[in-house]
Amino acid sequence: MAREDKKGTLLKLFFSMLYISAFTFGGGFVIITFMKRKFVDELGWIDEQEMLDLTALAQSSPGAIAVNAAILVGWRVGGFLGMVTAVIGTVLPPITILSIISLFYAAFAANPYVALVLKGMQAGVAAVILDVVWGLGANVVKIRSSIHMVVMAAAFIATFVYGVNVIYIILAAGLLGVVLAMLQRKKGGELQ
């Protein structure tokens, strides 16, 4: 029976990632929103805080955020087989679509209607990314940790006002997280 449950979970994971990947345009943050809705809100396989942590890991790891997130969620849900299943479900739609587009690239590049469709999709993608920022930012504010809010505000200011490279912000935030975790472990309590 446990083997059937594992098989059912892997099938659900594969088809969920296949669906999410096939209908997600605009990059990794868009897919994160759909993954949260599916795996946190709908299926309850992962809680919100864990999804936030997995998103941070996926973003700060080299490679495409969608594939990184699929690796982490797949591993969390089904171990090694879950990871492989989630990655295959995630990469199959883009590989198929890009293979077809590459065959007809010259026709697509010169078509004004395709250009208009892509412009329209940019607006939709911007709205979805704003939804991700709003959701993840709201989670940080819900925790009511002044340290987390200061880091979030400082990262925003560093990026948009001063143009600091995101890599430096991620490294600084990671280092600060390590320091805070060590202080928290020493004190045995929660940092506010």
Side-chain angles (χ1 to χ4, degrees):
M1 186 68 177
R3 188 178 196 132
E4 287 297 318
D5 289 342
K6 178 99 170 167
K7 185 178 178 183
T9 300
L10 291 175
L11 279 172
K12 187 173 279 192
L13 177 64
F14 174 77
F15 285 113
S16 296
M17 291 307 300
L18 186 74
Y19 176 81
I20 289 169
S21 183
F23 295 102
T24 304
F25 296 91
F29 288 111
V30 178
I31 202 168
I32 295 293
T33 302
F34 290 108
M35 289 173 73
K36 181 207 173 280
R37 287 187 186 144
K38 184 67 171 183
F39 301 121
V40 174
D41 300 338
E42 187 181 319
L43 296 173
W45 287 350
I46 302 171
D47 64 35
E48 272 193 55
Q49 182 58 46
E50 191 171 17
M51 189 67 201
L52 187 62
D53 293 342
L54 293 177
T55 301
L57 282 170
Q59 181 184 6
S60 57
S61 300
I65 191 172
V67 175
N68 292 347
I71 288 169
L72 294 168
V73 169
W75 183 270
R76 170 64 180 82
V77 170
F80 181 77
L81 284 176
M83 177 184 68
V84 171
T85 301
V87 168
I88 291 171
T90 300
V91 300
L92 207 54
I95 284 175
T96 304
I97 292 168
L98 289 173
S99 296
I100 292 168
I101 289 174
S102 69
L103 293 173
F104 303 103
Y105 178 73
F108 275 110
N111 190 320
Y113 297 110
V114 171
L116 290 172
V117 167
L118 293 175
K119 281 284 188 197
M121 290 171 71
Q122 286 177 355
V125 167
V128 172
I129 290 173
L130 185 60
D131 179 50
V132 172
V133 170
W134 185 265
L136 294 177
N139 286 338
V140 171
V141 172
K142 279 182 198 173
I143 295 171
R144 296 181 188 250
S145 168
S146 56
I147 293 171
H148 292 133
M149 286 190 255
V150 167
V151 169
M152 184 173 66
F156 177 80
I157 291 167
T159 300
F160 289 103
V161 175
Y162 296 109
V164 176
N165 191 318
V166 176
I167 293 171
Y168 299 129
I169 294 170
I170 291 170
L171 290 173
L175 182 63
L176 180 64
V178 169
V179 169
L180 291 174
M182 290 170 62
L183 289 173
Q184 184 178 2
R185 183 177 283 176
K186 258 186 181 176
K187 290 182 180 180
E190 236 179 87
L191 291 173
Q192 294 294 326

